[in-house]
Amino acid sequence: MTRAAAFFDLDKTVIAKSSTLAFGRPFFQGGLINRRAVLKGAYAQFVFSLAGVDAAQMERMRSQITAMTTGWDVAVVHDIVQETLHDIVDPLVYAEAADLIETHRAAGREVVIVSSSGAEMVGPIGEMLGADRVVATRMVTRDGRYTGEVEFYAYGENKAAAMREVAAERGWDLADCFAYSDSVTDLPMLEAVGHPTAVNPDRALRKVATERGWPVLEFNRPVSLRARFNGARTPVVTSAAVGAAVAGLAWYARRRTLRPLPAIVDAPVVPLPGRRRRRGA
């Protein structure tokens, strides 16, 4: 049993984009969202890459999750993520993050991905990265479908609480553990360990890191990991989740500094295009 671990936030810390938004196109192709939502997702990714988020915006995202995912088939979401994971996420992983993960594993520390996204995404991504376990948002399912209710939201203080729970289970001393994140909303997560580091920090987190003398890292080289983690282990999902990958499409677009986009919660689902029948056939 190891005595320490390294906890990694996911979006803009390990991967260059939002894991929530990255699966927009595959979900469209699977018939879960419409074309309008895909276009908004592309715009929202651009907005997400420019700045961080605050607590109010994260709360709006949770509201979008409960509305968007209600009634979705769990098996369909799982299959889409599994089939498209490497094409969608593999090219987005920062080389610097991959090196850091390998360094911690070589030092005998377990690697834990801690993300507000759902385990249908975070679990497979963690496996690809060679993480030992993941902590993610948990939503309620009934009869194989998402009810839209959030059972556990892996955000803010909840992340820190989950980390303390895992540490107690594994016998880790958090004073010897490491944590990495880009957002000031993850301040409780960073404060929970003895070795916090800000990665690609938003303005508020950069200020805190400077005041407290925390290390600040800049990751900017996304690379493919197909050859790097061939021996990756399947991580333990500490807080399983649904997190519907496109739940935050409208939320991310509603930046205070940019013109709001229309909500997509009530937009109709566009069926997958089929082949046109030939005239006379």
Side-chain angles (χ1 to χ4, degrees):
M1 181 178 295
T2 59
R3 293 293 300 169
F7 298 90
F8 288 83
D9 176 48
L10 186 58
D11 301 345
K12 293 183 70 176
T13 302
V14 175
I15 65 175
K17 294 185 179 182
S18 164
S19 56
T20 298
L21 300 174
F23 289 93
R25 186 168 297 279
F27 276 15
F28 163 71
Q29 294 170 341
L32 295 178
I33 62 173
N34 60 20
R35 188 180 301 276
R36 182 182 176 202
V38 175
L39 295 176
K40 287 182 180 179
Y43 173 73
Q45 281 285 18
F46 171 72
V47 173
F48 178 77
S49 68
L50 295 180
V53 297
D54 60 24
Q57 292 165 328
M58 287 297 292
E59 184 60 30
R60 286 197 293 273
M61 180 177 182
R62 181 166 69 166
S63 297
Q64 289 289 336
I65 290 175
T66 59
M68 183 71 73
T69 64
T70 302
W72 281 18
D73 189 306
V74 176
V76 170
V77 174
H78 180 271
D79 289 346
I80 291 174
V81 172
Q82 290 291 341
E83 291 171 4
T84 62
L85 174 69
H86 284 279
D87 290 336
I88 297 298
V89 178
D90 184 272
L92 302 177
V93 180
Y94 287 119
E96 300 92 338
D99 292 340
L100 194 54
I101 288 172
E102 289 183 337
T103 297
H104 282 296
R105 291 184 63 183
R109 302 183 189 98
E110 293 196 27
V111 173
V112 184
I113 302 297
V114 187
S115 174
S116 297
S117 296
E120 278 76 3
M121 295 168 291
V122 182
I125 292 173
E127 181 179 354
M128 184 180 69
L129 293 168
D132 297 279
R133 60 185 63 217
V134 302
V135 173
T137 298
R138 178 171 62 251
M139 293 183 67
V140 179
T141 64
R142 186 177 297 115
D143 298 327
R145 294 185 178 275
Y146 303 137
T147 67
E149 301 172 278
V150 179
E151 182 177 342
F152 173 77
Y153 189 31
Y155 168 73
E157 180 56 38
N158 287 346
K159 281 190 176 183
M163 289 164 58
R164 288 190 288 268
E165 182 179 338
V166 175
E169 173 192 330
R170 298 294 297 159
W172 300 331
D173 185 346
L174 284 175
D176 296 328
C177 291
F178 296 73
Y180 303 87
S181 179
D182 70 293
S183 174
V184 73
T185 61
D186 282 337
L187 194 55
M189 168 184 173
L190 296 171
E191 292 174 331
V193 302
H195 303 281
T197 297
V199 176
N200 297 338
D202 57 31
R203 182 178 301 177
L205 180 57
R206 186 179 295 274
K207 179 180 179 181
V208 172
T210 300
E211 292 173 348
R212 302 187 185 185
W214 293 350
V216 175
L217 301 178
E218 300 291 341
F219 293 171
N220 52 32
R221 294 188 296 113
V223 296
S224 174
L225 297 185
R226 290 182 185 274
R228 296 191 61 153
F229 291 106
N230 287 335
R233 293 164 289 174
T234 301
V236 176
V237 178
T238 303
S239 296
V242 165
V246 294
L249 291 174
W251 176 81
Y252 276 119
R254 291 175 181 173
R255 305 292 302 179
R256 285 189 297 243
T257 57
L258 296 174
R259 186 173 63 183
L261 293 175
I264 61 172
V265 172
D266 297 323
V269 173
V270 175
L272 291 177
R275 293 184 177 178
R276 296 183 177 179
R277 297 183 61 184
R278 295 181 179 177
R279 185 174 298 177

